[in-house]
Amino acid sequence: MRKALVIAVLISSVVLLAYCYLSRPKPLPKLLRPIVVTWQEVGKVEGFVDLDADGNDELLVQDRDGQWWWVQFSPTAVARQKIPIPKDANCWPITSRGQMLAFWHPQIRQALLITRQGKKWVMKDLGKLKGNEMMVVLDADHDGQVDDAIMEYGQTRRVFSRMKNGTIVERPNLPDFQADLDGDGKDDAIYSEVRTYGCLVGEMHIHIHLSSGRKASLKLPLSVFIVDLDGDKVAEIVSEERSGMECRFCCWRYEKGGWRKSLSSKFVGEIVMDVSDGDVLWDFPLLVMTTEGQREKIWEIRWWKGKWMKRLMGEVPESNANKIWFARTGQDWIVGGFLSPPEWQEWLWMKVGQHLQRFLPLLHEPKERFFVYGWDGQQRWTLLGRWNEGRFRGFQLADMDGDGKRELSVAFQRRVLVAKFEDGRWQTGWAKVPSLIELAISPSYFRYGGKEWTLFQEVGSHRYIAIALEGRQ
């Protein structure tokens, strides 16, 4: 009996060691050449803006004394200027590449917008706050520039825009969106209003001013998107209806003076979004992920000829996968997520492994792992690697070489793996960093010189490391 137990323990140990060894990612050829810039910042990076509208992002920084700074980056020098506002002023949500900043002071309750006009600061005083205002900088007129700001309080709103010369003007009738909803070939003005009930978020009210002069309205859940789903140059309004894990899509189309509603079939699963700019954006056709057993299946949901259709696209080649994310890069996808340890491995650790660890230091408790694949959108999956959660420090997607396609940077304790998936294969390069790092902010990249630089922060300090790509060997 004792002999059988010893044999079982030895076999279990060999299985655990073999599993750990075979799970390690294979060495990858170094084909990419990272650029690494390190500098000591005066405070914490809170976001990225483009206040001078020159196409290069600046860093918005707040120091320990509450002072706000505007920081211009370059690979050879970093220039800082104090933003001329009182210390401890609060900043409304910072929009990446925004050409204005919205501040308010908690004591004097003054609100203002600020931007750059050449080498000068430009500020617009918005007066005293009443207490229920909310302000956001965005591209409200959809001209490709993040140079508008909307202040809402109750059912009232004010809209401001930064002009090309740097001045800030108020625009009282700017709609939230413009699209042709009735098929007459002319854009219609669309206004949205979020109504809340008590402390709970209620519903979205859509008000439409048609180019013909007619008006229409619609009450919808908060997840709303306006897009031409089928390419017929007439926009639809899409909403998501969810109850627990059950979900379906709803398409609203304006026809003959009324709304036509079409619902997709129900499914149990999650919407898989394209990760971009730190935000979750709807990408059409939609990808929906369902769980069957220990596998995740990916479905394409498409609106075509007045109906919702779905098609099985592929299956994630990992069991026990969770927190999966997708990102499009050209015609391909980069797919990542986390792997929970298999049940047999957890059982083996509890029964055998933890007792043998004092004799076999190489044995470790099974932990969650981070994985990345390249995917052609059909059946071909190419593994980049799997890494134990303890080594993994975060990831970021950015166009690091300026070719219009995003690369992946995966941070470890003292180095960063930069990887590009193209034409069905991975190209990689390693960047060494001087210390323990973590992602500085989300999204953790900014534009400079036609590239997007991934930004990391030294753990426990305000030392920053920016990484981009030179090109390929």
Side-chain angles (χ1 to χ4, degrees):
M1 184 69 180
R2 181 177 298 176
K3 184 177 181 180
L5 179 61
V6 171
I7 292 173
V9 168
L10 289 174
I11 292 173
S12 300
S13 303
V14 170
V15 169
L16 278 174
L17 290 171
Y19 183 84
C20 294
Y21 176 80
L22 294 175
S23 297
R24 295 185 305 173
K26 296 179 180 179
L28 294 163
K30 295 183 179 181
L31 300 173
L32 304 179
R33 300 170 58 189
I35 310 167
V36 181
V37 178
T38 302
W39 79 98
Q40 185 70 35
E41 191 44 78
V42 296
K44 181 182 178 182
V45 174
E46 299 288 353
F48 310 115
V49 292
D50 185 13
L51 297 187
D52 53 8
D54 66 351
N56 291 324
D57 289 341
E58 302 92 40
L59 288 70
L60 184 65
V61 173
Q62 189 175 31
D63 64 22
R64 294 174 182 174
D65 296 327
Q67 177 65 53
W68 290 92
W69 296 77
W70 182 64
V71 179
Q72 294 175 290
F73 168 85
S74 81
T76 57
V78 177
R80 305 170 179 85
Q81 290 189 41
K82 286 185 179 180
I83 300 177
I85 56 173
K87 289 184 179 180
D88 298 318
N90 292 329
C91 186
W92 267 297
I94 303 162
T95 306
S96 291
R97 303 178 181 178
Q99 297 179 12
M100 290 187 291
L101 287 169
F103 289 98
W104 61 278
H105 199 280
Q107 278 77 42
I108 61 177
R109 308 296 299 172
Q110 180 189 21
L112 57 88
L113 284 170
I114 188 166
T115 188
R116 295 281 295 184
Q117 186 182 49
K119 296 183 179 181
K120 299 179 180 179
W121 292 102
V122 174
M123 288 184 285
K124 187 172 183 65
D125 190 345
L126 305 182
K128 298 285 185 178
L129 297 176
K130 298 179 180 179
N132 62 340
E133 292 87 349
M134 182 61 193
M135 196 163 197
V136 61
V137 176
L138 73 171
D139 180 9
D141 54 7
H142 301 276
D143 63 353
Q145 302 295 317
V146 188
D147 56 0
D148 308 304
I150 296 178
M151 173 182 278
E152 293 184 347
Y153 42 100
Q155 298 183 20
T156 302
R157 74 175 202 163
R158 298 173 69 187
V159 183
F160 304 88
S161 293
R162 179 193 188 277
M163 299 290 99
K164 289 183 179 180
N165 62 3
T167 59
I168 301 174
V169 300
E170 187 164 2
R171 301 170 69 181
N173 296 314
L174 184 67
D176 291 307
F177 204 85
Q178 290 180 295
D180 181 10
L181 288 171
D182 57 3
D184 64 355
K186 300 178 181 179
D187 282 347
D188 307 306
I190 304 165
Y191 301 85
S192 63
E193 175 193 351
V194 177
R195 293 189 182 178
T196 58
Y197 305 97
C199 61
L200 300 176
V201 175
E203 57 194 4
M204 177 80 74
H205 287 229
I206 305 292
H207 306 286
I208 302 164
H209 297 183
L210 299 170
S211 59
S212 63
R214 298 184 65 177
K215 296 183 179 180
S217 61
L218 197 60
K219 296 179 183 179
L220 295 172
L222 289 180
S223 298
V224 174
F225 201 87
I226 300 169
V227 66
D228 179 8
L229 282 173
D230 48 11
D232 64 354
K233 299 183 180 180
V234 179
E236 291 83 24
I237 298 178
V238 185
S239 63
E240 173 197 354
E241 296 185 0
R242 178 172 288 278
S243 176
M245 287 301 294
E246 283 193 348
C247 179
R248 63 181 178 180
F249 299 103
C250 179
C251 176
W252 297 85
R253 191 177 178 96
Y254 190 78
E255 296 179 355
K256 299 178 181 179
W259 292 103
R260 177 189 167 195
K261 179 181 180 182
S262 299
L263 288 169
S264 71
S265 57
K266 289 184 179 180
F267 59 89
V268 178
E270 298 179 359
I271 302 174
V272 181
M273 301 294 191
D274 183 8
V275 181
S276 177
D277 295 336
D279 300 317
V280 176
L281 304 177
W282 283 38
D283 185 47
F284 291 93
L286 287 163
L287 298 185
V288 171
M289 186 172 62
T290 60
T291 303
E292 296 184 16
Q294 295 181 335
R295 292 286 186 176
E296 305 289 345
K297 291 190 174 182
I298 302 124
W299 303 81
E300 177 189 80
I301 307 296
R302 184 184 293 272
W303 170 266
W304 184 249
K305 295 184 178 179
K307 296 181 180 180
W308 287 105
M309 305 174 68
K310 73 175 184 178
R311 177 178 69 89
L312 180 63
M313 292 184 65
E315 183 176 293
V316 179
E318 295 283 1
S319 300
N320 300 320
N322 59 84
K323 293 178 281 189
I324 295 176
W325 52 266
F326 280 53
R328 190 186 295 277
T329 171
Q331 298 298 316
D332 299 316
W333 293 82
I334 296 177
V335 184
F338 291 84
L339 296 173
S340 300
E343 292 182 1
W344 68 264
Q345 193 180 131
E346 292 183 332
W347 180 88
L348 197 59
W349 171 260
M350 291 295 297
K351 297 297 183 181
V352 179
Q354 62 180 347
H355 303 294
L356 293 177
Q357 192 178 35
R358 67 174 67 181
F359 307 109
L360 298 171
L362 291 177
L363 288 178
H364 295 285
E365 180 181 0
K367 293 184 179 181
E368 197 171 53
R369 291 182 297 160
F370 176 71
F371 71 88
V372 177
Y373 279 88
W375 183 42
D376 65 358
Q378 299 178 16
Q379 297 299 322
R380 185 178 178 184
W381 295 79
T382 306
L383 178 66
L384 173 66
R386 305 182 189 95
W387 300 276
N388 290 332
E389 187 182 28
R391 296 176 56 206
F392 172 68
R393 308 291 297 181
F395 75 94
Q396 180 64 65
L397 290 147
D399 181 11
M400 301 175 72
D401 58 6
D403 68 348
K405 299 177 183 178
R406 285 172 288 176
E407 289 76 41
L408 171 72
S409 56
V410 184
F412 300 95
Q413 291 185 348
R414 283 185 169 84
R415 59 181 185 163
V416 176
L417 173 64
V418 181
K420 185 181 189 73
F421 187 70
E422 191 173 42
D423 299 327
R425 65 190 183 95
W426 285 102
Q427 301 173 67
T428 63
W430 287 95
K432 293 183 179 180
V433 294
S435 57
L436 295 176
I437 59 169
E438 59 189 353
L439 289 174
I441 193 173
S442 181
S444 194
Y445 68 92
F446 61 93
R447 299 176 304 173
Y448 178 82
K451 302 176 182 180
E452 293 175 342
W453 295 66
T454 305
L455 186 68
F456 299 93
Q457 180 179 358
E458 185 179 69
V459 174
S461 79
H462 289 158
R463 190 181 188 187
Y464 287 87
I465 299 99
I467 301 176
L469 285 174
E470 274 186 9
R472 307 180 213 180
Q473 292 180 340

